[in-house]
């Protein structure tokens, strides 16, 4: 035993000690083996390798017990020869046939490697042996050769493991064997497979049988239709079919998969003259019916469940007669009231109704008969899962019937709606939601398309589709009674859907329900106002406001009104939902009503009743806000707009508060017109509206008025110009330019007229553009920044307008003049005018040819400098112009790589300028490298990277910032191989950064290091950087490892939550989402324990609900099947404990806590590249622009808002601020807190902060705590003394 204790004296001095602060380091200082391995990262070893063929052969012989090889001299000679040459190819092993197999059919064997699996080792051994045999005979390793060799091997092997391996490989290769080969060798191959199948039928191992079944199915799938008339073919198929009810799940699943692939995927089914159904479909249907009848639905026999699983996949592939017999069998077996059998039958029906109408074997009559029969199997309202499944199947059945015969489907809908409405009385929310969704789907899919062909639906209809629609609506309307009050939100959704689907034709039967809704809306504290408004909105969309107001009048006349206005809520509902209606109704009903309300408001204001006047004034404004909805694709533009035009024009002139809704209405109307007649009608009034809009826009508002309507007016002018005749626009533009040059025009008028010229410039012809250009040319050099900006905006619209080819012809004809004007105004261009100026240059550069190369070079310095402009729009246009210049050079030279080299050489000149010029040049190079990353030569990129890396040694922060940004772009655009060649240069440049610069840009450097570690690994990056960076690298490695662990844990948690059986699942399209049951047929990868538990619970889960009181249960009653429940009726559902109070109707009561933290910490996104891409003009900023940039980029001059902040006392006190916590208890005169009557006692709490865990501040914090406690004791003692004095 080793003694423990202290070391001997003097021993500690000989031991190596950790340096201070390095006790957590575990890597040794000497790592020569790591250095040697790392040196080979990018290069081949220069020394000669000892790994040769002879050396490997000698090693294999020695491992095989070759002591008989000879003496040591021979071994030495072999080793000497091994040192003289590099290895060429290693010796062959027993897996060589697997690793270098050239046939793609066996990629699965090569890709999924499991060294611990004995079956996989056997597969590899068989494949290697077969491959060696084919190679030895000079084969090409084709699929046919492997097929022949594997079939020979299949007949030769005896063990079940070898049979399974051969059958597995044969199944892989059969998918790629040519079809003529399989048809030619069908009889021999089928006989061999059947022999193996019969020999392995009773074997304990199911692997061989499983793969043989799939091989036989693959073989039958490739045969011609004529082969299926032979008895031998049917015998082979029946062999597979008999295993579909096998006791072993894997064998049964393989057989069912093979049968499905044969019946649905045989090659002859996809030929031109293919039969409607597979020849074996009828035989399969008879087999399924026979097996179900023989099983008899016994709970102990699972054969019925297995056959139902097969029928679910194949029922849609059977002929009509077979489908009918199978459906009858399914309905008979459902009478057994076995929960799992009923669920399986429901799945089969759901799959049958989910097939496409073009491929369905059903007729409309059979579909309708199944729907009628399924009503006898309606589950009890207490059976949650079966009832959900029944509703889903019935929804699919009616939808399928509608695709076959819509009128027959509508005839069956009233009964379903009656049954589904009774489900709304259920206590289960999922049942109510599923029933509502089923009815909404049927209304949208079955009823809505049929309504256009149906005439008016009247309440007196007694036959035909109108009578069925009436019955359906009465069922839904009954949901407004009080016994459905718990489901009113769903009933209101259903009513809204019904209004949208049938409101246009069936409005006569819906008036009563609309009146009921209005009565409910006026009920005090009605909790579902939002749902009710949406329902009435559906009526507005389909019926239109005219029919709606006939059913439920607005009750607003302007004379002797109830000042509570009980129907005023209809105004915003109509405003939000009106569309595709008539303008004439607004002109005849709402317009006179708005005028009456305005007159009434004026009368009340004159009489001193200001409150009532304000109410009427608000009402008439709300009525005007409905006008944009009426202008959304109206049906009577040609005849109805003329009735509104005069009123709209006068209101624009006289009533400023109505200009916003009127302008919005005009824009909506113009944009929603599509026919030439409607556009001509609107163009006819352009000579009336445009002058009014011009006058409103150029009229200077009062000083206190901010004129919020001016941008809307200008936008309306732009939109109206699109439907105006060009000749009229030219006349308007001529008048505007005359007013612009008038001597009596004020500054405001001149700027407003310039905005109008900007709007009209792209809509005129070439001569007018030239005339306008000559007029605004002097303004390009104006000292007023606002006027200069507007002049450039005019030029921008003329150069890049979309009015046909007028803009292009204008640029070409005036190109020399434009170049001279832009170059002469270069020095006088103001900063606000940079954005439109650069935009003009973009349009001009797109049309330049090679003779204008000097013009582009002369513009380049200005463009580069503009990449650092204050305005975001100017920076964006500068980067866009750089790319366009590169495209222009490409047009000049033809070869893009040569053009880019010439263009970059011109840009390089900026690196020799001032600090600002160098900064802007690097930004420009970053954008160009990002945009042309696929076209830049490697030598050019290397030279560029070397030049930028030289800038990393400077002491100017601006240059260093953009240089690091350039490195980020390089990391982003280059792949790992290309980047590896430039890595030493980058690392050397980063290592040469000065210490003060490195500290300032530590965040950018950390981002670069993180990306390098992700690409090349931690060790390589660490070795290429100086020691001062190693601490940062270690931190990055820890952070990356932590984030990886969190990500893996989160993924595992998500997978776990997805696999949880008890988690609630949303409604899906398939019935498997509804029925939460498990199948005993476990496939590979599933968890058998959980599934077996669920099966055990559900197999015995059937309960019989007794009759009421002492009444005996009548089993001959057709409704007796509803007494059989799949869930125990005595076990109540456990309510979820969520920690909140619940009202009587089930709503949660969640109290607001003011002290609760409202803002949650958001996960930080990986945005390392976003900042540099934004700065380089590659990506737009997600945040809003600042106020200065908005003012700089806007077309119109807007007065800046005052930035005064309240502070002080009196009228300068801050309003709306949040009071300090505990301010209510603060004493007005003395110190400390005081008690308040009716409030809790004040307490002082010690905040718990993370900083208090700092051990260095422990003494200070303890002192503070002791002071608080001492003060509390002192206060308590003084209070006690005062209390004693009062008693004395």
């Amino acid at each position: 035993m080793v003694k423990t204790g202290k070391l001997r004296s003097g021993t500690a001095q000989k031991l190596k000690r950790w340096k201070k602060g390095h006790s957590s380091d575990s890597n040794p200082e000497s790592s020569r083996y790591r250095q040697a391995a790392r040196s080979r990262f990018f290069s081949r070893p220069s020394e000669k390798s000892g790994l040769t063929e002879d050396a490997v052969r000698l090693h294999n012989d020695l491992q095989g017990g070759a002591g008989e090889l000879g003496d040591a001299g021979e071994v030495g000679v072999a080793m000497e020869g091994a040192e003289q040459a590099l290895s060429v190819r290693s010796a062959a092993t027993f897996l060589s046939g697997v690793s270098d197999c050239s046939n793609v059919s066996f990629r699965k064997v090569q890709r999924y490697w499991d060294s611990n699996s004995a079956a996989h080792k056997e597969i590899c051994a068989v494949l290697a042996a077969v491959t060696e045999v084919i190679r030895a005979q000079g084969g090409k390793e084709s699929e046919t050769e492997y097929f022949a060799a594997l079939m020979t091997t299949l007949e030769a092997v005896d063990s079940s493991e070898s049979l399974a391996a051969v059958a597995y490989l044969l199944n892989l290769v059969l998918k790629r064997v040519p079809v003529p080969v399989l048809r030619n060798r069908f009889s021999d191959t089928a006989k061999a497979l059947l022999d193996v199948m019969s020999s392995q039928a009773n074997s304990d191992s199911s692997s061989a049988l499983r793969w043989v079944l799939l091989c036989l199915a693959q073989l039958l799938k490739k045969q011609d239709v004529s082969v299926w008339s032979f008895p031998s073919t049917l015998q082979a198929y029946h062999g597979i079919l008999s295993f579909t009810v096998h006791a072993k799940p894997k064998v049964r699943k393989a057989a069912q998969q093979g049968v499905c692939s044969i019946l649905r995927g045989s090659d002859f089914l996809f030929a031109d003259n293919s039969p409607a159904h597979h020849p074996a479909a009828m035989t399969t249907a008879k087999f399924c019916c026979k097996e179900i009848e023989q099983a008899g639905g016994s709970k102990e026999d699972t054969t019925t469940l297995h056959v139902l699983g097969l029928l679910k996949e194949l029922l849609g592939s059977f002929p009509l007669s077979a489908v009918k017999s199978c459906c009858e069998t399914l309905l008979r077996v459902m009478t057994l009231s076995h929960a799992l059998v009923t669920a399986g039958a429901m799945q089969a029906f759901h799959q049958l109704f989910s097939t496409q109408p073009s491929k369905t074997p059903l007729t409309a009559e059979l579909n309708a008969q199944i729907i009628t029969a399924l009503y006898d199997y309606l589950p009890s309202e207490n059976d949650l899962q079966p009832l959900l499944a029944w509703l889903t199947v019935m929804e699919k059945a009616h939808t399928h019937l509608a695709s076959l015969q819509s009128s027959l489907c509508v005839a069956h809908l009233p009964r379903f709606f009656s049954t589904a409405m009774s489900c709304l009385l259920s206590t289960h929310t999922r049942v109510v939601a599923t029933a509502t969704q089923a009815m909404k789907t049927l209304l949208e899919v079955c009823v809505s398309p049929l309504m256009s062909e149906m005439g008016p639906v009247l309440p007196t209809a007694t036959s035909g589709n109108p009578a069925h629609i009436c019955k359906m609506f009465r069922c839904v309307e009954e949901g407004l009674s009080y016994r459905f009050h718990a489901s009113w939100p769903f009933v209101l959704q259903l009513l809204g859907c019904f209004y949208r689907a049938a409101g246009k034709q069936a409005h006569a039967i819906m008036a009563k329900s609309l009146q009921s809704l209005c009565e409910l809306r006026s009920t005090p504290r009605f909790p579902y106002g939002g749902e009710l408004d949406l329902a009435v909105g559906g009526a507005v969309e389909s019926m239109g406001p005219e029919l709606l107001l006939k059913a439920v009048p607005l009750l607003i006349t302007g004379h002797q009104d109830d000042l509570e206005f009980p129907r005023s809520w209809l105004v915003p509902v109509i405003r939000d939902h009106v569309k595709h209606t008539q303008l004439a109704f607004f002109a005849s009903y709402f317009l006179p009503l708005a005028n009456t309300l305005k007159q009434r408001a004026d009368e009340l204001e004159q009489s001193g009743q200001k409150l009532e006047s304000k109410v009427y004034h608000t009402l008439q404004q709300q009525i005007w806000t409905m006008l944009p909805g009426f202008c959304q694709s109206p049906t009577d533009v040609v005849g109805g707009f003329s009735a509104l035009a005069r009123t709209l024009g006068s209101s624009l002139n006289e009533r400023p508060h109505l200009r916003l809704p009127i302008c919005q209405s005009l824009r909506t109307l113009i944009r929603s017109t599509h026919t030439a007649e409607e556009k001509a009608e609107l163009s006819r009034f352009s000579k009336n509206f445009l002058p009014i809009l011009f006058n409103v826009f150029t009229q200077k508002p009062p000083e206190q008025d901010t004129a919020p309507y001016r941008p809307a007016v200008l936008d309306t002018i732009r939109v109206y110009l699109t439907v105006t005749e060009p000749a009229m626009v030219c006349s308007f533009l001529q008048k505007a330019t005359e007013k612009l040059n008038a001597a009596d025009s004020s500054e405001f008028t001149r700027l407003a007229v310039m905005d109008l010229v900007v709007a009209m410039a792209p809509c005129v012809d070439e001569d007018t553009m030239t005339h306008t250009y000559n007029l605004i040319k002097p303004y390009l050099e104006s000292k007023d920044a606002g006027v200069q900006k507007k002049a450039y905006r005019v030029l921008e619209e003329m150069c890049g307008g979309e009015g046909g080819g007028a803009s292009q012809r204008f640029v070409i004809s005036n190109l020399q003049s434009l170049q001279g004007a832009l170059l002469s105004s270069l020095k006088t261009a103001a900063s606000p005018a940079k954005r439109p100026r650069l935009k003009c240059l973009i349009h001009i550069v797109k049309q330049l040819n090679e003779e204008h190369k000097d013009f582009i070079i002369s513009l380049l310095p200005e463009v580069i400098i503009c990449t650092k402009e204050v305005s975001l729009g100017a920076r964006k246009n500068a980067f866009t112009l750089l790319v366009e210049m590169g495209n222009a050079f490409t047009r000049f030279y033809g070869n893009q790589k040569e053009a880019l080299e010439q263009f970059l050489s011109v840009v390089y000149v900026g690196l020799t300028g001032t600090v600002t010029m160098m900064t802007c040049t690097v930004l420009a190079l970053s954008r160009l490298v990002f945009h042309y990353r696929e076209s830049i030569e490697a030598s050019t990129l290397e030279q560029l990277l070397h030049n930028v890396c030289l800038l990393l040694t400077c002491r100017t922060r601006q240059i260093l910032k953009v240089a690091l940004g350039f490195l980020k772009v390089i990391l982003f655009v280059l792949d790992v191989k290309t980047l590896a060649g430039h890595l030493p240069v980058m690392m050397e440049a980063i290592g040469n950064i000065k210490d003060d610069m490195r500290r300032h840009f530590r965040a950018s450097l950390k981002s670069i290091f993180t990306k390098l570690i992700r690409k090349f690994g931690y060790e390589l990056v660490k070795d290429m950087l100086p020691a001062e960076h190693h601490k940062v690298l270690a931190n990055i490695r820890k952070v990356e490892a932590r984030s990886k662990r969190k990500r893996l844990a989160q993924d595992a948690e998500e997978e776990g939550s997805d696999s949880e059986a008890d988690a609630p699942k949303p409604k899906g399209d398939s019935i498997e989402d509804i029925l939460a049951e498990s199948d005993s047929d476990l496939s590979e990868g599933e968890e058998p324990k959980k599934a077996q538990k669920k099966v055990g619970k559900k197999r015995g889960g059937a309960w019989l609900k007794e009759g009421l009181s002492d009444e005996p249960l009548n089993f001959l009653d057709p409704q007796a099947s509803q007494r059989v429940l799949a869930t125990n009726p005595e076990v109540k559902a456990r309510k979820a404990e969520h920690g909140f109070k619940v009202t009587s109707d089930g709503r949660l009561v969640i109290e607001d806590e003011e002290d609760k933290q409202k803002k949650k910490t958001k996960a930080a996104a990986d945005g390392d590249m976003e900042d540099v891409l934004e700065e380089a003009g590659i990506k737009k900023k997600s945040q809003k622009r600042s106020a200065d940039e908005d003012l700089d980029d806007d077309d119109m001059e807007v007065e800046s808002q005052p930035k005064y902040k309240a502070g002080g006392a009196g009228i300068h006190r801050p309003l709306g601020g949040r009071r300090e916590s505990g301010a209510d208890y603060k004493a007005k005169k003395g110190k400390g807190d005081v008690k308040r009557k009716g409030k809790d006692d004040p307490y002082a709490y010690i905040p718990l902060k993370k900083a208090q865990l700092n051990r260095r501040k422990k003494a200070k914090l303890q002192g503070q705590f002791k002071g608080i406690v001492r003060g509390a004791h002192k206060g308590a003692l003084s209070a006690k003394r005062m209390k004693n004095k009062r008693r004395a």
Side-chain angles (χ1 to χ4, degrees), residues 713-986:
V713 171
L714 184 59
D715 195 11
T716 307
I717 291 172
R718 288 197 184 99
V719 174
Y720 218 126
L721 287 171
T722 59
V723 295
T724 308
E725 295 293 334
M728 187 177 296
V729 180
C730 293
S731 64
F732 285 144
L733 183 58
Q734 185 178 1
K735 294 178 181 178
T737 52
E738 293 175 358
K739 192 171 184 179
L740 180 65
N741 296 324
D744 56 346
S745 297
S746 61
E747 186 68 21
F748 178 86
T749 305
R750 186 175 291 109
L751 291 175
V753 172
M754 289 285 279
D755 284 325
L756 296 178
V757 174
V758 170
M760 290 184 284
C763 303
V764 296
D765 53 16
E766 179 187 353
D767 297 335
T768 309
M769 284 185 181
T770 305
H771 178 68
T772 307
Y773 166 66
N774 293 328
L775 290 177
I776 60 102
K777 190 174 180 180
Y779 294 103
L780 296 177
E781 300 181 7
S782 174
K783 295 182 179 180
D784 189 348
V787 174
Q788 187 184 117
K789 178 182 177 181
K790 302 295 182 184
Y792 276 110
R793 285 285 292 115
V794 175
L795 190 58
E796 173 192 346
E797 292 295 334
M798 289 192 296
C799 292
E802 300 178 358
S807 298
Q808 187 175 1
R809 293 193 298 271
F810 163 73
V811 173
I812 294 175
S813 59
N814 297 276
L815 189 56
Q816 297 296 331
S817 176
L818 287 171
Q819 291 181 9
L822 291 173
L823 288 177
S824 62
S825 61
L826 174 60
K827 297 181 179 180
T828 59
S831 180
K834 291 289 186 180
R835 184 184 65 83
R837 174 182 170 85
L838 292 171
K839 196 70 173 178
C840 294
L841 292 173
I842 291 174
H843 297 309
I844 293 174
V845 168
K846 288 181 179 180
Q847 304 184 31
L848 296 181
N849 49 32
E850 190 173 359
E851 63 183 15
H852 303 103
K853 179 181 176 182
D854 295 336
F855 174 66
I856 295 179
I857 295 175
S858 61
L859 289 176
L860 191 57
E862 178 194 3
V863 179
I864 293 176
I865 289 293
C866 287
T867 57
K868 292 290 287 184
E869 274 289 332
V870 178
S871 170
L872 175 63
R875 296 198 302 270
K876 180 182 176 182
N877 289 343
F879 288 121
T880 306
L881 183 53
L882 273 173
V883 175
E884 288 299 331
M885 287 180 171
N887 296 337
F889 268 74
T890 304
R891 292 197 306 270
F892 299 163
Y893 289 90
N895 186 3
Q896 189 176 27
K897 294 184 178 180
E898 180 184 357
L900 288 177
E901 187 174 355
Q902 294 293 330
F903 183 56
L904 290 176
S905 64
V906 179
V907 180
Y908 286 157
V909 180
L911 295 176
T912 60
T914 60
V915 172
T916 305
M917 191 64 186
M918 293 171 66
T919 305
C920 297
T921 303
V922 176
L923 277 178
L925 290 172
S926 302
R927 176 56 188 267
L928 292 173
V929 168
F930 181 85
H931 188 81
Y932 296 108
R933 56 185 178 274
E934 304 293 339
S935 307
I936 299 180
E937 289 282 354
S939 58
T940 306
L941 187 60
E942 183 177 1
Q943 178 186 0
L944 177 59
L945 185 59
H946 278 73
N947 292 333
V948 176
C949 286
L950 292 176
L951 300 177
L952 293 176
T953 58
C954 69
R955 290 186 172 274
T956 306
R957 290 182 177 179
Q958 296 180 8
I959 298 178
L960 190 58
K961 178 181 178 181
V962 295
L964 291 175
F966 181 83
L967 292 185
K968 289 184 180 181
V969 174
I970 289 294
L971 291 175
F972 185 77
V973 301
L974 295 184
D975 57 354
V976 178
K977 287 186 178 181
T978 309
L979 191 61
H982 305 300
L983 192 60
V985 178
M986 295 171 59

Side-chain angles (χ1 to χ4, degrees), residues 398-415:
H398 286 86
T399 305
H400 192 269
L401 181 57
S403 62
L404 298 175
Q405 188 175 347
S406 57
S407 59
L408 186 58
C409 174
V410 173
H412 281 76
L413 284 179
R415 184 178 181 184

Side-chain angles (χ1 to χ4, degrees), residues 68 76 228 253 537 539 546 566 569 572 661 746 803 854 993 1018 1117 1197 1263:
E68 309 112 8
W228 285 92
K253 183 178 180 180
E546 185 175 2
W569 58 272
S746 61
D854 295 336
I993 298 177
Y1018 169 79
D1117 187 4
E1197 301 296 328

Side-chain angles (χ1 to χ4, degrees), residues 301-314:
D301 194 353
T302 58
T303 304
T304 304
L305 297 177
H306 302 333
V307 178
L308 288 176
L310 180 62
L311 277 178
K312 181 183 71 172
E313 303 296 333
L314 294 180

Side-chain angles (χ1 to χ4, degrees), residues 330-528:
L330 290 176
L331 292 173
R332 281 199 302 271
V333 80
M334 286 175 65
T335 58
L336 301 173
S337 300
H338 190 287
L340 292 179
V341 171
T342 304
M346 283 293 183
Q347 287 183 355
F349 280 124
H350 184 274
Q351 193 70 20
L352 175 64
F353 293 131
S354 299
T355 55
Q356 298 180 4
S358 58
K359 300 179 180 180
T360 182
L362 284 177
T363 60
E365 291 75 15
L366 180 58
N367 195 338
Q369 291 173 5
I370 296 175
I371 290 175
T372 305
L374 285 176
Y375 282 105
D376 296 334
Y377 304 95
L378 175 65
S380 172
E381 61 179 9
N382 296 322
D383 260 2
L384 177 61
Q385 297 295 346
L387 186 55
L388 293 177
W390 187 87
L391 288 170
T392 308
V393 171
M394 293 297 282
E395 174 192 336
K396 286 290 183 181
H398 286 86
T399 305
H400 192 269
L401 181 57
S403 62
L404 298 175
Q405 188 175 347
S406 57
S407 59
L408 186 58
C409 174
V410 173
H412 281 76
L413 284 179
R415 184 178 181 184
F416 177 74
F417 268 65
S418 176
T419 307
M421 286 301 296
S422 64
C423 293
L424 266 62
L425 297 172
S426 174
T427 56
H428 297 288
T429 308
R430 290 182 61 189
V431 173
V432 178
T434 305
T436 305
Q437 185 60 40
M439 288 187 282
K440 289 170 62 177
T441 303
L442 294 178
L443 285 173
E444 294 171 358
V445 176
C446 306
V447 177
S448 183
L450 194 63
M451 294 305 298
S452 59
E453 305 172 1
M454 198 183 304
V457 179
L458 301 176
T460 57
T462 57
S463 62
N465 290 335
H468 301 318
I469 298 297
C470 290
K471 292 178 182 178
M472 293 165 57
F473 188 77
R474 290 193 192 102
C475 293
V476 178
E477 190 178 14
E478 188 182 356
L480 294 177
S481 59
Y482 186 74
R483 68 191 185 108
F484 288 90
H485 76 281
S487 303
W488 271 349
F490 299 95
V491 175
L492 292 173
Q493 292 180 25
L494 195 55
L495 275 173
C497 187
F498 216 127
Y499 290 149
R500 291 183 180 89
K504 189 173 183 180
Q505 288 82 12
H507 58 85
I509 64 174
M510 298 177 176
K512 184 179 177 181
S513 64
L514 289 172
Q515 295 170 2
S516 301
L517 291 180
C518 290
E519 293 174 1
L520 282 177
R521 187 67 167 76
S522 60
T523 306
R525 298 181 181 179
F526 181 67
Y528 310 117

